[in-house]
Amino acid sequence: SKDPKAVDGAAAGLYMEIKQKHRPAADKLYERVDWQLANNSLYKGKAIDSGFGFLDTSKATLDGVIFDERTSAIVEASLLTPIRRTVDCQSLGLSPKRGVLLTGPYGTGKTLLAQKVARVAEESGWTFLYVRPEHSSKFSTFMRIALNYAPAVVFMEDIDAVAGGEDR
C-alpha cells in the first residue's frame, strides 16, 4: 500500500523514492503487490492466532459440548451457515457479517465452539483469526488484518478485557 499502516505499533508497507516520471510504473507495482497479498497470502483461508501461528483445526468438534436445541439452532444459523453457504447467502441478498457474543462461565464450551468455527471457516476458504487475551488491546490492528484476508472470522478471547471489565 502507498499509505503507511501501523501493525503492532510499527509502520508496515512498501515505500519508494522515485522520480515523478516513474510514478505510473510504481503505481502498477503497488497494485500488483496489493493483489498478491490479497490473493496469495499464506494466511488467507487459514486459521491463525494473534501471534501469527497456524491453528490445528483437524480435531475440532463439539463433542462433549451440549447446547440446548435453541442454542444449537442459533449457532448453526448465525455462525456456521453464513460461512458454509456464503455464495447462497449473498445471492439472497444476505450479508455474511455477524457480531456474536458468547457468554457463560468458564467451561461452557465457548472456546470449543470457536475451534469448530475455525475448522468450518478453513474448510470454506475463510480466514479465522483467534485473538489471544494478551493481544486484545490491538483490536483495530486485527480488524484490519481480517479485512485484508476477508472473508474472515475474528474470535476475541475474553473481550471483556477490551470492553472495560465489569462495567462493560
Side-chain angles (χ1 to χ4, degrees), residues 62-139:
L62 291 178
D63 295 346
V65 178
I66 301 171
F67 292 130
D68 62 33
E69 193 173 311
R70 180 176 178 268
T71 302
S72 293
I74 290 169
V75 165
E76 188 63 38
S78 296
L79 290 172
L80 302 177
T81 297
I83 296 169
R84 287 184 179 132
R85 305 195 58 189
T86 305
V87 173
D88 293 336
C89 288
Q90 289 172 333
S91 70
L92 294 171
L94 302 172
S95 172
K97 292 181 183 180
R98 300 285 186 273
V100 178
L101 179 63
L102 305 174
T103 64
Y106 177 81
T108 56
K110 299 178 297 291
T111 301
L112 284 174
L113 176 58
Q115 292 170 352
K116 175 66 176 181
V117 172
R119 182 175 184 168
V120 170
E122 270 192 319
E123 290 170 350
S124 303
W126 282 49
T127 305
F128 181 90
L129 181 57
Y130 173 78
V131 181
R132 293 182 276 169
E134 62 267 25
H135 296 134
S136 61
S137 64
K138 299 174 183 171
F139 177 78

Side-chain angles (χ1 to χ4, degrees), residues 14 21 30 38 42 46 55 62 101 109 111-112 140 163:
L14 176 62
K21 68 180 181 179
Y30 279 122
L42 67 128
K46 304 294 182 201
L55 302 175
L62 291 178
L101 179 63
T111 301
L112 284 174
S140 60

Side-chain angles (χ1 to χ4, degrees), residues 42-54:
L42 67 128
Y43 292 115
K44 186 167 179 65
K46 304 294 182 201
I48 56 177
D49 70 15
S50 52
F52 297 100
F54 293 98

